[in-house]
Amino acid sequence: MFEITDVLIIGSGPAGLQAALHAARKKASVVVLGRRENSAMCQAHVENYLFLDGINEGEDMLKTGREQVLRFGAQMVAEDVLGLEQEVGCFAVRTESRSFKGRTVILAMGSSIKKLKVKGEKDYVGKGISYCVDCDANFYRNARVAVVGNESAAVDGALTLLGYASEVHLITRGLNVSEGMKKKLESSGVKFHNGTWVKELAGKMVLERVSLEDGEELEIEGLFVELGAKGAMELATAIGVQMDMETFSYIATNKRQETNIEGVYAAGDIAGPPRQIAKAVGEGCLAGWYAANHAFKLKKG
């Protein structure tokens, strides 16, 4: 493992893999972080990508891309990213079990917000429902809250909320996290609701109750929806990366895929529509190319 990697890539979908391929071919040290199954492409049937005829399975394409990236010397780490910080001369990324440092970072983790799509959800957005623990935890000091999700973002969010809320519930169909995270959860004060899910949300002017599929009802003041890995909003805003000012749903970049933070790039769905593999691959190419060049300049001083 390199002490400081030239290019750290968060996301192992088409944008992240293409960025890794171009950066590695330029002889940059590259680490790709993220689980392949988190990519929307993993479940896709692709028939509109140039040079590939007929219907192609996205999972097979990702497997081929991963093999190419490994062949050119990049490292793949199948863990979710839980935190991103800017340090002097580098960026620090925390995963489920370890930490990495990179001269540059490419954000390529897909679209930023995943919703529950249950009855009442749209009525309470901003009125008790949040999609970002790191953004909104402070608004729920001494409140009763719940987090819903099956992966690392949900567990990390629930543990974070213990420092703010008076009562924290975690609703999950079944956790898909590392053993280390499970142990932290088990030894914490989080109230665990396993094998169930949110069925309906209710309240008057603001969220007051969550009905679960197993028939239980929780009287809460806040519900944090944390589906999958940490999203763009949480990781990006933690270091001051600007989101699109019109919709606040994707990261703003220039034609080099640079963000407003020097050394941070974004590519793919996270950088806005259209959400197509061709766009993700093209932006990944640019991000990998320019991130590697920037890392080389930093090493030269």
Side-chain angles (χ1 to χ4, degrees):
M1 177 63 65
F2 300 92
E3 185 177 356
I4 298 183
T5 301
D6 290 328
V7 182
L8 279 179
I9 300 172
I10 304 175
S12 56
L17 291 176
Q18 188 69 58
L21 186 63
H22 273 75
R25 281 177 61 89
K26 290 178 71 66
K27 305 302 181 184
S29 55
V30 178
V31 174
V32 182
L33 305 169
R35 301 177 186 274
R36 183 181 63 183
E37 60 268 25
N38 286 345
S39 171
M41 187 177 173
C42 198
Q43 305 299 324
H45 306 287
V46 182
E47 58 179 340
N48 65 343
Y49 191 73
L50 193 64
F51 307 120
L52 292 180
D53 196 14
I55 298 176
N56 300 270
E57 297 301 320
E59 187 172 7
D60 293 338
M61 293 171 67
L62 287 174
K63 182 180 178 182
T64 300
R66 183 178 185 275
E67 291 170 351
Q68 288 177 291
V69 165
L70 290 171
R71 191 162 64 246
F72 282 102
Q75 298 183 55
M76 304 282 295
V77 180
E79 292 190 14
D80 289 335
V81 171
L82 301 178
L84 171 62
E85 297 180 355
Q86 187 169 13
E87 298 183 353
V88 178
C90 69
F91 298 90
V93 175
R94 176 171 57 91
T95 70
E96 295 171 79
S97 68
R98 61 189 111 168
S99 295
F100 298 85
K101 291 189 176 183
R103 294 181 174 86
T104 62
V105 171
I106 298 175
L107 303 173
M109 65 283 268
S111 56
S112 58
I113 296 177
K114 297 179 181 179
K115 297 186 177 182
L116 281 171
K117 299 179 182 178
V118 299
K119 186 176 180 180
E121 181 176 15
K122 65 181 181 180
D123 299 325
Y124 301 104
V125 175
K127 300 177 183 178
I129 292 182
S130 171
Y131 299 91
C132 180
V133 169
D134 294 340
C135 306
D136 296 336
N138 193 52
F139 296 117
Y140 292 88
R141 287 188 177 276
N142 303 313
R144 300 184 308 277
V145 301
V147 180
V148 57
N150 300 321
E151 300 181 34
S152 57
V155 175
D156 190 62
L159 295 173
T160 297
L161 284 164
L162 286 173
Y164 298 86
S166 62
E167 186 175 288
V168 180
H169 299 260
L170 176 60
I171 304 161
T172 177
R173 287 196 174 108
L175 290 179
N176 178 25
V177 298
S178 67
E179 286 301 316
M181 292 201 76
K182 285 182 181 178
K183 289 179 180 178
K184 286 182 181 180
L185 177 64
E186 290 167 356
S187 63
S188 74
V190 174
K191 299 180 185 297
F192 195 32
H193 304 266
N194 193 20
T196 189
W197 202 245
V198 173
K199 181 179 180 181
E200 186 177 346
L201 308 172
K204 293 181 180 179
M205 301 299 292
V206 296
L207 179 66
E208 298 173 354
R209 293 182 305 282
V210 173
S211 298
L212 304 183
E213 291 178 344
D214 62 5
E216 187 175 4
E217 276 201 354
L218 303 179
E219 301 287 332
I220 62 171
E221 299 158 85
L223 177 69
F224 290 85
V225 180
E226 292 283 1
L227 306 180
K230 286 279 187 178
M233 188 181 298
E234 292 164 291
L235 294 176
T237 56
I239 58 171
V241 171
Q242 288 182 355
M243 307 295 285
D244 163 63
M245 298 308 294
E246 184 175 343
T247 67
F248 205 69
S249 61
Y250 59 87
I251 293 174
T253 63
N254 63 16
K255 291 185 177 181
R256 294 186 175 191
Q257 303 308 128
E258 296 168 320
T259 71
N260 62 301
I261 302 297
E262 186 177 357
V264 180
Y265 303 75
D269 289 357
I270 199 174
R275 291 174 177 168
Q276 296 290 319
I277 295 171
K279 171 184 175 290
V281 167
E283 291 182 348
C285 166
L286 292 170
W289 179 276
Y290 287 111
N293 287 345
H294 187 68
F296 294 153
K297 290 179 182 177
L298 291 176
K299 285 198 290 189
K300 290 180 180 178

